[in-house]
Amino acid sequence: MPELEQALAEVAAEMAERADRGDVATYIPQLGKVDPRKFGIAAVTNDGRVILAGDADQPFSIQSVSKVFTLTLALGKVGDALWQRVGREPSGNPFNSIVQLEHENGIPRNPFINAGAIVVSDILLAGHQPREAIGEILRFVQFLADDDAIIIDREVAASERATGYRNFALANYMKSFGNLHHEPELALGVYFHHCAIAMSCRQLAMAGRFLANGGRNPATGHSVVSAERARRIGALMLTCGHYDGSGDFAFRVGIPGKSGVGGGILGIVPGVASLAVWSPGLNENGNSKLGSIALEKLARMMGWSIFSPTAGRRQ
């Protein structure tokens, strides 16, 4: 097996040569302006190494990858009571589908589809104004990444609000079932803004360190969440983190991952490393096309899989 530095460089070089890069998310106008030729990848190991390749220091809109961090915050606030309002099952439907909400009485299948993340945003609003809740989310991400330079891209947030008709429908529908406790406009304000957080692959991989290290920040040893909660968040990433492509990602890559329509993916190799990859072009499920391929290749090269008895031995 190659060393991780060599593996990342090889993967990045191969991705740079690929012609079929998927399609950028034009339904959010600001995302449609991103250069599809961009590709970055980063690994932050539990022993403190930071390994980068490609455009790993260029910020991008993390979109639904942010749902990992809002879920973590919400669980810290309300604990397992969250699961009374959001399920823990794969959806099998597109991320913005309204179909299952009707059959399941306004309870979203999981916290990573849009409807579920809107409920999580509603939970984070409790006792706060939207601006305060948004600030708390941003500070939490900055804390995890140890980087105060992380910002919310206000232009992306405005672009999402201007075209977010399906999300408004989801929020209003859940409100009709009593599963939003605030006005839909307020919960959506929080949702649109946390999806518009801009981070580089380096920053994103840094922010995911606690999930690769049993809930602890490996740099400080301080606990972010319990080891059990870190495992459970990882389980949801594996089963639900790629929407109706989650099963295929688990089959091909074999590690927990969370994607976003900005082209980013956060991957977790438990006990080993936090990974982040960015390529703006998406596949038919709304996940980064080259990002998914890159993580599959990297996992294979390094022998990483949560289903392998040797997982975690190679760094």
Side-chain angles (χ1 to χ4, degrees):
M1 292 183 183
E3 293 301 318
L4 184 53
E5 292 85 347
Q6 178 187 345
L8 252 66
E10 289 182 10
V11 168
E14 181 177 342
M15 295 304 108
E17 297 298 320
R18 294 185 71 109
D20 184 3
R21 310 183 74 84
D23 301 309
V24 296
T26 55
Y27 68 92
I28 299 175
Q30 283 298 116
L31 297 187
K33 299 176 182 179
V34 180
D35 184 353
R37 295 171 295 181
K38 296 291 184 179
F39 178 88
I41 190 167
V44 177
T45 65
N46 284 4
D47 62 10
R49 288 179 294 154
V50 178
I51 305 162
L52 311 174
D55 301 302
D57 275 320
Q58 179 169 333
F60 61 92
S61 181
I62 68 169
Q63 291 293 308
S64 288
V65 182
S66 64
K67 297 171 185 177
V68 172
F69 308 121
T70 54
L71 172 63
T72 303
L73 266 180
L75 285 170
K77 287 182 175 291
V78 301
D80 286 345
L82 183 146
W83 307 121
Q84 298 172 15
R85 298 177 59 186
V86 183
R88 300 190 296 267
E89 295 293 332
S91 66
N93 282 314
F95 55 83
N96 59 359
S97 173
I98 200 170
V99 174
Q100 285 174 330
L101 282 176
E102 182 174 6
H103 292 288
E104 298 174 359
N105 300 313
I107 305 295
R109 273 288 176 98
N110 64 70
F112 292 153
I113 56 174
N114 290 17
I118 293 168
V119 172
V120 169
S121 296
D122 186 67
I123 290 170
L124 294 177
L125 256 178
H128 297 293
Q129 294 296 317
R131 183 181 297 273
E132 296 169 335
I134 293 164
E136 181 181 29
I137 295 166
L138 180 60
R139 287 190 298 273
F140 182 57
V141 173
Q142 291 172 336
F143 162 74
L144 293 175
D146 191 23
D147 193 335
D148 291 341
I150 296 167
I151 63 167
I152 292 173
D153 188 324
R154 303 291 175 178
E155 291 184 349
V156 171
S159 186
E160 291 198 56
R161 179 183 289 276
T163 58
Y165 305 112
R166 181 72 65 93
N167 288 320
F168 277 97
L170 292 169
N172 280 285
Y173 201 69
M174 290 188 293
K175 180 69 172 177
S176 75
F177 282 99
N179 200 20
L180 281 193
H181 297 171
H182 302 83
E183 288 304 309
E185 176 78 15
L186 300 181
L188 286 167
V190 175
Y191 174 76
F192 290 140
H193 279 81
H194 77 65
C195 285
I197 292 173
M199 300 174 74
S200 67
C201 290
R202 181 201 296 265
Q203 292 167 328
L204 185 56
M206 289 286 284
R209 291 174 297 175
F210 75 101
L211 292 171
N213 196 49
R216 290 182 175 272
N217 181 331
T220 64
H222 294 156
S223 179
V224 178
V225 297
S226 68
E228 179 183 42
R229 182 160 290 171
R231 288 194 300 270
R232 289 180 168 179
I233 293 170
L236 287 166
M237 292 173 70
L238 182 74
T239 58
C240 308
H242 281 69
Y243 313 118
D244 47 336
S246 297
D248 191 61
F249 185 84
F251 180 84
R252 294 180 180 277
V253 184
I255 63 171
K258 181 70 195 84
S259 70
V261 296
I265 303 175
L266 172 65
I268 302 297
V269 188
V272 179
S274 171
L275 311 172
V277 63
W278 172 53
S279 179
L282 309 179
N283 62 21
E284 62 276 9
N285 299 119
N287 303 312
S288 174
K289 182 166 186 171
L290 293 194
S292 301
I293 294 170
L295 288 178
E296 179 182 2
K297 289 184 176 294
L298 181 63
R300 184 176 297 155
M301 294 168 74
M302 299 302 299
W304 287 339
S305 170
I306 64 168
F307 305 107
S308 169
T310 60
R313 294 182 187 175
R314 290 291 300 179
Q315 296 187 43

